[in-house]
């Protein structure tokens, strides 16, 4: 009777024989995963940038914007997918709505944090040089806020990549289907 070695590999996590014969299937799933990620992050940025700018400019909008998307963020993705299926069907839209909503909270926070971090001395100097609101925003405030915005993009992208694996439950492609 042979003794087993502790943590002896009986069934590997990756079956390289199967993987080598199913490369097109894996590449198709990877393409779907990347496509869903890019759409969700880009749409989230397009929505959150103006919202973040408005919430930074008008402080009374901060609580409602963060409250609405914070409440949306608390809903589990699987439950949200199930709630959307009767309205949007089993389509990419069903997957993208929660993904975009989750990204908006992350990105709005980072846009506001980045804009709040611009030093008052820099803003005073820009005003003294004759900058008006919009050119000052484009040439001074946004470039100085970019590190925080890019940090939010990184977090949003990583969380989106993880959540997309759950879309396999509703039949949407991606690496979760594997």
């Amino acid at each position: 009777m042979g003794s087993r070695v502790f943590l002896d590999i009986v069934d590997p996590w990756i079956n390289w024989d199967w993987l080598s014969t199913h490369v097109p299937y894996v590449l198709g799933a990877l393409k779907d995963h990347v496509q869903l990620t890019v759409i969700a992050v880009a749409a989230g940025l397009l929505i959150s940038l103006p919202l973040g700018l408005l919430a930074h400019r008008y402080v009374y909008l901060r609580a409602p914007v963060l409250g609405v998307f914070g409440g949306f963020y608390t809903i589990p993705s699987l439950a949200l997918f199930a709630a959307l299926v009767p309205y949007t069907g089993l389509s990419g839209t069903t997957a993208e709505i929660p993904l975009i909503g989750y990204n908006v909270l992350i990105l709005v926070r980072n846009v506001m944090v980045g804009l709040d971090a611009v030093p008052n001395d820099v803003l005073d100097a820009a005003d003294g040089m004759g900058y008006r609101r919009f050119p000052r925003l484009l040439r001074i405030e946004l470039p100085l806020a970019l590190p925080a915005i890019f940090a939010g993009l990184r977090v949003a992208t990583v969380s989106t990549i993880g959540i997309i694996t759950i879309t396999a439950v509703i039949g949407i492609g991606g690496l979760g289907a594997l």
Side-chain angles (χ1 to χ4, degrees), residues 19 27-29 32 37-40 53 63 76 81 91 93 106-107 122 130 143:
L19 190 61
L27 289 178
D32 291 344
T37 302
V38 168
I39 291 170
L53 291 171
F81 292 148
S91 66
T93 306
I106 296 168
L107 294 171
V122 173

Side-chain angles (χ1 to χ4, degrees), residues 109-177:
R109 269 196 210 148
N110 281 66
V111 169
M112 289 190 305
V113 165
L115 290 172
D116 288 342
V118 176
N120 286 331
D121 297 344
V122 173
L123 297 176
D124 289 341
D127 290 339
M129 293 173 60
Y131 276 97
R132 296 201 172 144
R133 270 189 154 181
F134 190 68
R136 184 182 81 178
L137 175 70
L138 289 180
R139 294 183 182 168
I140 295 167
E141 292 180 68
L142 279 178
L144 291 174
L146 279 180
I149 294 171
F150 280 131
L153 276 171
R154 182 180 53 88
V155 171
T157 303
V158 169
S159 69
T160 300
I161 288 170
I163 295 172
I164 288 175
T165 57
I166 301 171
T167 61
V169 172
I170 60 171
I172 305 301
L175 294 173

